[in-house]
């Protein structure tokens, strides 16, 4: 594809820490003559370095970015990319439920959110739309956005959490300890404990077990108008 690439080719960077996922994405994108994967990265810092090396928009048209990245969390990477390369579209990919994460990603500047289990045709449609400057919204994401816009006052569910609280919340519900979370996010354990206390207060959970059950309920709860 390199030899036949044209100015109309959509140049993509894939940021995901799982090689099997990257290979799967590359296979899907390889079937599209107008899409070329020009770089890949498996950590947050690698994504930022690769984008800088490609000089942002000048040598890159789209970043496919996982939320759960080692080194620097995917949401922090998203924020850094939007600060340093505001015109570079970012399409978030994740295994996490759209209801919990899509709105947060869009608010942080992502041009779309897609679950990794999405149909290949939907994946290609999302890549093309986002690279062209559009925003890709699945019906679930669109409904979640409409609900978020319609809310006033205190928010319900995980959306009530701040960006950093939500990062800690996600890692707590994955079973990580305060020390592990601190190491991953670059925070002191005492700081993580403070965030944990705020999260428990906002969610009404008394401990990490109840917090995990809370996360499960909100992941499966039916959408409300």
């Amino acid at each position: 594809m390199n030899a036949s690439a044209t100015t109309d080719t959509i140049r993509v960077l894939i940021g995901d820490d799982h090689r099997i996922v990257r290979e799967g994405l590359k296979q899907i994108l390889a079937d599209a003559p107008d899409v070329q994967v020009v770089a890949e990265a498996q950590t947050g810092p690698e994504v930022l370095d690769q984008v800088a090396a490609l000089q942002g928009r000048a040598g890159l048209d789209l970043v496919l970015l996982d939320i759960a990245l080692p080194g620097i969390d995917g949401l922090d990477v998203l924020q850094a990319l939007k600060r340093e390369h505001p015109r570079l579209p970012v399409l978030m990919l994740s295994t996490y439920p759209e209801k919990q994460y899509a709105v947060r990603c869009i608010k942080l500047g992502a041009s779309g959110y897609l679950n990794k289990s999405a149909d290949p045709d939907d994946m290609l449609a999302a890549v093309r739309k986002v690279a062209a400057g559009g925003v890709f919204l699945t019906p679930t994401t669109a409904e979640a956005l409409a609900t978020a816009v319609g809310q006033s006052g205190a928010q319900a569910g995980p959306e009530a959490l701040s960006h950093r609280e939500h990062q800690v919340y996600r890692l707590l519900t994955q079973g990580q300890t305060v020390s592990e979370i601190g190491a991953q996010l670059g925070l002191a354990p005492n700081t993580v404990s403070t965030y944990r206390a705020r999260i428990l207060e906002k969610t009404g959970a008394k401990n990490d077990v109840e917090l995990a059950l809370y996360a499960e309920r909100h992941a499966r709860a039916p959408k409300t108008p």
Side-chain angles (χ1 to χ4, degrees):
M1 182 175 289
N2 289 343
S4 61
T6 70
T7 55
D8 294 328
T9 299
I10 300 170
R11 298 158 297 182
V12 177
L13 182 152
I14 298 174
D16 194 288
D17 61 329
H18 293 99
R19 181 178 178 182
I20 190 170
V21 174
R22 296 197 306 273
E23 293 299 324
L25 290 171
K26 286 193 291 185
Q27 184 60 50
I28 291 172
L29 299 178
D31 292 334
D34 58 332
V35 180
Q36 178 186 11
V37 176
V38 296
E40 57 184 285
Q42 60 182 356
T43 70
E46 285 181 6
V47 172
L48 296 176
D49 289 344
Q50 290 276 13
V51 172
L54 292 166
Q55 297 181 337
R57 186 73 184 183
L60 191 63
D61 300 299
L62 172 69
V63 175
L64 285 175
L65 184 64
D66 186 19
I67 287 181
L69 286 176
I72 303 176
D73 182 90
L75 295 179
D76 283 338
V77 173
L78 170 62
Q79 288 183 299
L81 289 176
K82 299 317 293 182
R83 284 195 306 269
E84 298 167 13
H85 309 282
R87 293 173 61 91
L88 179 63
V90 179
L91 175 61
M92 301 301 292
L93 295 174
S94 180
T95 57
Y96 300 123
E98 289 178 69
K99 184 180 178 184
Q100 287 192 33
Y101 292 89
V103 173
R104 187 174 298 274
C105 289
I106 298 297
K107 287 182 176 179
L108 290 176
S111 296
Y113 182 98
L114 200 61
N115 196 282
K116 290 180 182 178
S117 63
D119 184 275
D121 289 340
D122 290 337
M123 178 74 68
L124 288 172
V127 165
R128 289 175 176 132
K129 184 168 185 178
V130 169
V135 176
F136 182 84
L137 301 177
T138 66
T140 300
T141 299
E143 184 172 352
L145 276 171
T147 300
V149 170
Q151 289 175 340
S152 59
Q155 293 177 302
E159 284 300 317
L161 305 176
S162 70
H163 171 54
R164 184 64 83 183
E165 288 169 351
H166 196 273
Q167 289 179 311
V168 174
Y169 162 82
R170 174 168 57 80
L171 296 174
L172 283 171
T173 58
Q174 291 174 0
Q176 294 197 30
T177 66
V178 166
S179 296
E180 290 170 337
I181 294 170
Q184 180 164 336
L185 298 181
L187 300 172
N190 286 344
T191 302
V192 176
S193 294
T194 298
Y195 281 120
R196 177 181 176 275
R198 292 177 187 171
I199 292 165
L200 293 178
E201 180 180 357
K202 288 185 177 182
T203 60
K206 296 182 177 63
N207 50 49
D208 291 349
V209 173
E210 288 192 8
L211 189 65
L213 293 173
Y214 171 91
E216 183 70 12
R217 288 197 306 272
H218 280 274
R220 296 186 176 183
K223 296 179 287 294
T224 57

